Amino acid sequence: MLGVTTVQDLLFVLPTRYEDRTRVQPIGSLLAGHRAVVEGEVQLTEVVFRRRRQMLCRIADGSGFLTLRFFYFSAAQQEGLARGTRIRCFGEVRRGPLGLEMVHPEYRRIFDDRAPLEDSLTPVYPATEGVSQGRLRMLINLALRELDTAGVRDWLPTSIIAPLGLPPLRDALRYVHKPPVDAALDELEAGKHPAQRRLAFEELLTHQTVMRRLRESTRTDPAWSLDDRDGLESRFIAALPYSLTNAQQRALDEVDADLARERPMVRLVQGDVGCGKTVVAAAAAARAVGSGRQAALMAPTELLAEQHQRNLDAWFRPLGVTVALVSGSQPARTRRSALEAVAAGEVQIVVGTHALFQEGMQFRDLALVIVDEQHRFGVQQRLRLAEKGQASGRHPHQLIMTATPIPRTLAMTAYADLDVSVIDALPPGRTPVKTVVAAETRRDEVVARIDAACREGSQAYWVCPLIEESEELQCQAAEETAAVLAEALPHLVVRLVHGRQKPREKEATMMAFKAGKIDLLVATTVIEVGVDVPNATLMVIENAERMGLAQLHQLRGRVGRGSRESGCVLLYRAPLGPLARARLNAIRESNDGFEIARRDLELRGPGELLGTRQTGLARMRVADLIRDADLLPRVQEAAEILLASHRDRIAPLTQRWIGTDERYGRIG
Ligand code: ADP
Ligand code: MG
């Protein structure tokens, strides 16, 4: 399970927390939730039936009493816990019906008071199938004794590690596996001890180096230089009803410069919701097509893929370019003919969901892969699509778009294999969305507001997010909401869109909404990403207290796309917990994706923000991108040093920290 095959592997199975078994605690000082060693005399042991048969044993030590609760026990065990017996036990203290208790504690009888306790804090390792904690501890203890001879080499040059004031590897390992009695448990559990930081640094450095190498190696592959001899890109831009913002133009210039090279571009275009990433991607696609080749655009949801297909088709058809949709839910025949047209090169731009990189998909001449809203995809999926183009012997360029704004050091770490362009301004004429937070008891007022907005010619969304555990229940809830709203607003056209509908039905509804034929669209979170209807100026989000900041920001990004003032109403069900309150305040106070991401990081940590599948970084053993953020600049520097002067050390470090994990695609 843990992939442990050598002594070194064993030593890098690192504790997730510690227990203090070095001293006996008075029962009177115990706190629920803590783990502790206590000693006491059995006062009473009895078998009772409370829903199920169980044995209760009450012990006391003069400072208080504690109940031990066993659901599995033998007659011998019961006899062994007779009144007057002295025992020492270890377990987690919790509040029970009879006061504080321990459920199934470890215990043994003691015969004299000087029975030895542990001489160091006890590490608790990640749960492993088939290996008990006790056995793991014993094995790791043995491995520690051989630490000096076991070939556990310190691969980090002292020139890197010494200025950081961090200990050498072996000292760090000894410390984390066997912290001394006087070690600060709080510091250790917070992961802030220098020994832990030493390991975290090495882990971060290893990931960073591997990603940089991945970057180097993709950039040595051959790719088509896209010269756009047909001038399609400039014709495309000239035909737009607006001119590009400076921020868009800058990003596009960077993209174009990359596309002109004979090495694959791997570029992330990052920009807040609504900044206009689609048109930049479309311009890049135009360049590919103008160079006589194909482009593919991958979107995370079918709804979004359909919308992109419609937009691109409207832009490109007048220019004589064919855009096709490939989606998993197409009728087999439609799909097959689309696939054939793509393989034959009759289609120049293909839009789709992850169906794009599945079997049977073949391109004639794929030169550019565009991935929209990449936080919804893993590194793997992106690499798989990139592989599609390789039939021609050339690698496609990759353009990745994300609305997840992350702080710079984090970006450099999480996206070390990418170049990054930032679109840091919105198109002109937007007015910030006014956001209010309201208890759901004020529904009537909200309905009145929808009524007023729609009478003035605007449109509105009403979002019912996932609060039911199944999509089916969620869709049912949305159906009910739609029915209630339709009744309350009889003169408005109210329609529903959700994930369980037939693709054609969804598409028809979205098109009608876009065409202004629907006033109020009730939706599940299927509309979360990318949906673009500038005439919609009001969004109501139910159960907003259950949602994450990034998701709320994305959803709210569906309004405020035109020049009219837009509003967002976050409905919550009281009472609000402190975290939910902090989230709702953050979203009410700011429209700025960067600021919201910063708050999100504080509230939730990077794994959530980046999406657990997005980068390997979200799954590390000791390091934590937020806790160890101060190390990141040094990690960058150290990666340069390793890559420049100690390349031979990268392989053993990779083996140690990442093993054969293929999360980065080709390593090495
Ligand atoms: P996102 O970056 O969230 O994907 P979109 O590409 O969907 O944003 O663009 C949001 C809206 O802004 C669309 O309606 C688009 O037509 C419009 N838009 C994009 N660029 C410009 C521009 N330069 N000037 C005016 N409107 C623009
Ligand atoms: Mg978008």
Side-chain angles (χ1 to χ4, degrees):
M1 271 294 285
L2 293 175
V4 176
T5 51
T6 66
V7 170
Q8 158 158 309
D9 290 344
L10 205 49
L11 288 167
F12 281 85
V13 175
L14 297 164
T16 46
R17 57 186 181 80
Y18 297 89
E19 290 168 350
D20 186 354
R21 301 184 182 208
T22 63
R23 62 206 163 89
V24 175
Q25 294 210 31
I27 290 176
S29 73
L30 293 180
L31 294 173
H34 288 221
R35 292 164 169 270
V37 181
V38 294
E39 283 178 9
E41 193 176 293
V42 176
Q43 296 189 313
L44 174 71
T45 296
E46 58 179 346
V47 175
V48 299
F49 286 89
R50 304 253 153 79
R51 253 183 275 174
R52 49 195 280 213
R53 185 168 174 270
Q54 50 193 281
M55 175 170 78
L56 300 179
C57 168
R58 192 161 77 164
I59 63 169
D61 69 352
S63 74
F65 73 88
L66 179 72
T67 303
L68 313 180
R69 191 185 293 274
F70 298 87
F71 296 104
Y72 306 98
F73 54 93
S74 62
Q77 234 176 327
Q78 191 181 347
E79 274 164 38
L81 289 172
R83 183 182 168 83
T85 313
R86 283 187 59 75
I87 61 169
R88 173 184 291 166
C89 49
F90 177 83
E92 180 171 338
V93 183
R94 58 170 223 187
R95 226 176 298 283
L98 308 168
L100 293 182
E101 62 178 41
M102 285 182 183
V103 177
H104 280 272
E106 294 169 34
Y107 73 92
R108 62 192 167 93
R109 292 181 65 168
I110 45 173
F111 301 96
D112 77 73
D113 285 341
R114 280 163 303 144
L117 285 148
E118 300 285 337
D119 58 3
S120 60
L121 296 183
T122 307
V124 180
Y125 295 100
T128 324
E129 255 168 59
V131 187
S132 69
Q133 286 289 329
R135 187 163 164 74
L136 208 49
R137 275 182 207 131
M138 191 269 290
L139 290 170
I140 289 172
N141 245 324
L142 287 176
L144 277 177
R145 275 189 229 155
E146 290 174 39
L147 190 54
D148 296 312
T149 52
V152 179
R153 280 191 51 191
D154 197 339
W155 299 107
L156 302 194
T158 13
S159 60
I160 289 179
I161 217 70
L164 294 170
L166 297 177
L169 180 66
R170 287 176 196 161
D171 294 355
L173 283 173
R174 269 189 209 100
Y175 198 96
V176 299
H177 287 295
K178 276 179 93 81
V181 180
D182 60 355
L185 193 56
D186 291 350
E187 188 184 40
L188 274 173
E189 305 237 287
K192 290 190 177 228
H193 190 275
Q196 290 163 310
R197 282 169 61 81
R198 167 65 177 76
L199 297 172
F201 183 83
E202 188 175 311
E203 184 173 32
L204 287 167
L205 176 57
T206 304
H207 282 264
Q208 183 69 12
T209 324
V210 168
M211 284 172 83
R212 293 253 199 129
R213 259 230 316 230
L214 179 64
R215 174 202 169 100
E216 281 175 12
S217 79
T218 44
R219 282 172 187 61
T220 56
D221 293 329
W224 297 109
S225 156
L226 302 177
D227 56 2
D228 190 13
R229 54 181 177 271
D230 295 347
L232 188 64
E233 184 178 344
S234 38
R235 277 189 283 138
F236 166 76
I237 289 172
L240 288 173
Y242 43 74
S243 48
L244 295 183
T245 63
N246 291 338
Q248 284 170 318
Q249 188 61 56
R250 215 175 321 116
L252 184 57
D253 289 345
E254 287 167 356
V255 168
D256 281 345
D258 286 354
L259 294 179
R261 298 202 184 97
E262 291 190 316
R263 301 280 168 237
M265 165 177 82
V266 188
R267 182 171 288 278
L268 180 77
V269 171
Q270 185 188 312
D272 206 350
V273 192
C275 73
K277 296 183 287 293
T278 316
V279 67
V280 171
R287 170 162 292 267
V289 176
S291 311
R293 317 211 173 270
Q294 291 172 304
L297 168 58
M298 179 163 76
T301 64
E302 301 212 335
L303 210 61
L304 189 49
E306 282 156 14
Q307 175 184 289
H308 279 320
Q309 198 269 334
R310 277 197 304 277
N311 282 341
L312 293 178
D313 192 60
W315 279 329
F316 282 105
R317 192 190 288 263
L319 300 170
V321 175
T322 310
V323 181
L325 179 73
V326 170
S327 97
S329 62
Q330 275 170 326
R333 204 148 34 93
T334 317
R335 189 172 135 92
R336 200 172 330 118
S337 69
L339 291 184
E340 280 166 14
V342 172
E346 290 153 19
V347 164
Q348 286 88 41
I349 302 178
V350 193
V351 182
T353 55
H354 52 279
L356 280 183
F357 57 73
Q358 277 157 9
E359 295 299 311
M361 188 76 211
Q362 230 159 25
F363 295 88
R364 197 202 59 188
D365 214 346
L366 182 63
L368 173 66
V369 168
I370 302 163
V371 182
D372 192 18
E373 303 296 348
Q374 75 114 37
H375 62 288
R376 296 300 193 87
F377 297 102
V379 181
Q380 281 306 308
Q381 285 168 308
R382 174 160 63 76
L383 293 172
R384 288 251 291 282
L385 185 53
E387 277 163 18
K388 283 280 175 197
Q390 292 175 25
S392 57
R394 307 267 171 156
H395 293 245
H397 298 280
Q398 297 179 51
L399 177 60
I400 298 134
M401 302 193 285
T402 182
T404 309
I406 59 175
R408 191 176 152 70
T409 41
L410 202 54
M412 285 168 69
T413 309
Y415 302 132
D417 63 329
L418 310 173
D419 290 310
V420 179
S421 297
V422 180
I423 302 181
D424 55 5
L426 298 179
R430 300 271 175 89
T431 42
V433 180
K434 284 217 174 91
T435 304
V436 295
V437 176
E440 62 159 10
T441 46
R442 291 170 55 194
R443 259 170 193 260
D444 290 350
E445 290 166 51
V446 178
V447 170
R449 207 176 142 183
I450 292 176
D451 195 16
C454 293
R455 275 170 197 274
E456 285 173 21
S458 280
Q459 291 163 276
Y461 297 97
W462 185 292
V463 183
C464 314
L466 183 68
I467 55 157
E468 310 290 354
E469 57 278 21
S470 77
E471 194 191 3
E472 183 155 345
L473 286 175
Q474 184 198 16
C475 295
Q476 262 176 31
E479 266 160 24
E480 279 160 30
T481 305
V484 170
L485 287 170
E487 206 175 292
L489 298 162
H491 49 284
L492 296 187
V493 183
V494 181
R495 292 284 179 276
L496 173 70
V497 63
H498 64 60
R500 284 290 168 110
Q501 289 166 337
K502 296 237 159 58
R504 200 164 309 169
E505 198 180 342
K506 269 188 286 190
E507 196 184 337
T509 307
M510 288 314 296
M511 275 171 71
F513 189 59
K514 184 140 194 167
K517 294 185 186 131
I518 294 174
D519 298 301
L520 174 62
L521 185 66
V522 179
T524 57
T525 46
V526 288
I527 61 151
E528 178 184 340
V529 285
V531 170
D532 182 43
V533 180
N535 192 49
T537 61
L538 181 60
M539 164 158 288
V540 181
I541 305 176
E542 274 193 279
N543 296 108
E545 80 281 7
R546 308 273 190 106
M547 302 175 66
L549 269 181
Q551 201 183 10
L552 285 171
H553 181 59
Q554 275 282 347
L555 272 172
R556 182 177 57 180
R558 299 310 116 220
V559 293
R561 298 187 152 237
S563 49
R564 252 182 303 171
E565 182 156 297
S566 293
C568 177
V569 182
L570 305 174
L571 288 178
Y572 67 87
R573 188 172 295 184
L576 273 185
L579 195 65
R581 185 179 301 273
R583 275 202 299 264
L584 293 182
N585 280 337
I587 205 88
R588 183 168 53 88
E589 285 160 12
S590 178
N591 268 292
D592 174 358
F594 269 95
E595 173 59 18
I596 288 167
R598 200 185 57 71
R599 302 278 286 270
D600 204 13
L601 266 174
E602 282 170 11
L603 294 171
R604 291 200 301 175
E608 293 292 328
L609 179 64
L610 294 171
T612 34
R613 291 175 307 158
Q614 184 185 17
T615 67
L617 292 168
R619 276 192 289 140
M620 288 196 279
R621 290 199 233 164
V622 257
D624 175 315
L625 283 176
I626 293 309
R627 186 192 62 209
D628 304 322
D630 61 313
L631 290 174
L632 296 178
R634 308 308 292 266
V635 167
Q636 303 282 341
E637 291 166 23
E640 308 268 345
I641 299 176
L642 275 192
L643 285 164
S645 326
H646 304 281
R647 287 189 88 91
D648 53 323
R649 302 187 181 197
I650 297 172
L653 280 169
T654 308
Q655 176 63 37
R656 175 180 290 169
W657 287 102
I658 304 173
T660 49
D661 190 332
E662 284 175 7
R663 81 183 78 159
Y664 293 118
R666 36 180 192 171
I667 287 177

